[in-house]
Amino acid sequence: MNSINIIAEIGINHNGSLQLAKQLIDEAVVAKFDYVKFQKRTPDICVPEQKKAEIKDTPWGKISYLAYKHKLEFSKEDYDEINSYCTQRGIKWFASVWDIPSAELISDFVSIAKIPSAQLTNHDLLTRSRQLFDTLILSTGMSTEEEIKTAIEIAQPDVVMHTNSTYPSPVENLNLDYIRWLIDTYNLDVGYSGHEYGLTTTFATVPMGVKWIERHITLDRTMWGSDQLSSVEPIGMIKLVKGIRAIEKALGGYGPRKLLQGELTKKENLRSIT
């Protein structure tokens, strides 16, 4: 039985297109992820005031940063369709919630949500999300240890995720040993959300004891969007899930060495009987 929950983070890589979102769901199903995850924001609440009027060059032309963020958001009707499609394809889904209205909308569909690293210090959101969801995941990027401790006290999350919030993250900055710290310090399931190139360092977290692994996914890393470059393409998705499952099987169990049948047979052939 699989013990690690593997999340395909679609995030905003759908670029506001339901058709693209469904294609990404399809790829996640093929690769056998446990979940797909989206991001849900209310841009008027989440976008900092100093950024709202900033002009950004986008596929929709040169528009304000606030207008651009609105272009990336799915409506409740869109999530109705996503919910139906995921049910049809047999995969679970949830979202990172960036504000209280978003959390309340997503809670109409699913009983699990994630607080993104950017909102770890939003104590009102932590409190409300704990009320709304049976399973609450907390991401720790960009945060001090004191901020993380306070957030855990307030949110009482079920899972805390280690991550480096650079996109993409340099390997030398991943600090994977922090996973051990989280496991030893907090009585919680611990996960890893990776934004690095490649899969090797993500695989390395499996024997460290993570219970959740998340990677961004995309159809093509050269597509437009801020998260595409640090995402995993379809072939990589298959390799990621297969690799995690293989490592799970290979780890076996902690304890004294036991001889398996294959070795017993070999032992009879290769060792002298005395």
Side-chain angles (χ1 to χ4, degrees), residues 16-169:
S17 164
L18 265 178
Q19 180 182 358
L20 182 52
K22 289 178 180 179
Q23 287 178 271
L24 287 164
I25 291 167
D26 290 340
E27 295 295 346
V29 170
V30 169
K32 299 183 179 179
F33 281 86
D34 296 299
Y35 294 89
V36 290
K37 185 169 78 68
F38 295 87
Q39 295 179 19
K40 182 64 185 128
R41 298 169 174 84
T42 305
D44 297 280
I45 296 173
C46 295
V47 175
E49 286 299 323
Q50 69 272 18
K51 291 280 290 183
K52 287 181 178 177
E54 182 181 297
I55 300 301
K56 187 173 179 65
D57 196 0
T58 77
W60 303 279
K62 290 186 176 181
I63 57 177
S64 71
Y65 190 79
L66 181 60
Y68 150 68
K69 284 296 185 183
H70 275 290
K71 291 284 188 183
L72 295 178
E73 287 304 314
F74 286 146
S75 66
K76 185 180 187 303
E77 291 70 29
D78 292 329
Y79 278 110
D80 281 328
E81 195 163 338
I82 286 168
N83 188 54
S84 296
Y85 194 72
C86 286
T87 300
Q88 175 189 329
R89 294 309 319 269
I91 192 167
K92 295 173 284 188
W93 74 276
F94 66 107
S96 291
V97 293
W98 286 66
D99 52 79
I100 290 175
S102 294
E104 291 174 342
L105 185 152
I106 294 299
S107 71
D108 287 341
F109 296 99
V110 293
S111 60
I112 176 175
K114 183 182 176 188
I115 304 294
S117 297
Q119 297 298 323
L120 179 134
T121 56
N122 185 339
H123 296 169
D124 289 341
L125 176 61
L126 298 180
T127 300
R128 182 63 177 136
S129 296
R130 180 68 283 176
Q131 294 168 350
L132 289 169
F133 298 101
D134 294 336
T135 302
L136 188 62
I137 303 170
L138 182 66
S139 197
T140 59
M142 302 181 284
S143 304
T144 66
E145 193 63 34
E146 190 58 38
E147 288 171 337
I148 293 166
K149 181 181 178 182
T150 299
I152 288 173
E153 288 172 353
I154 293 170
Q156 295 293 301
D158 304 281
V159 183
V160 59
M161 301 278 279
H162 171 50
T163 189
N164 181 297
S165 293
T166 312
Y167 292 72
S169 305

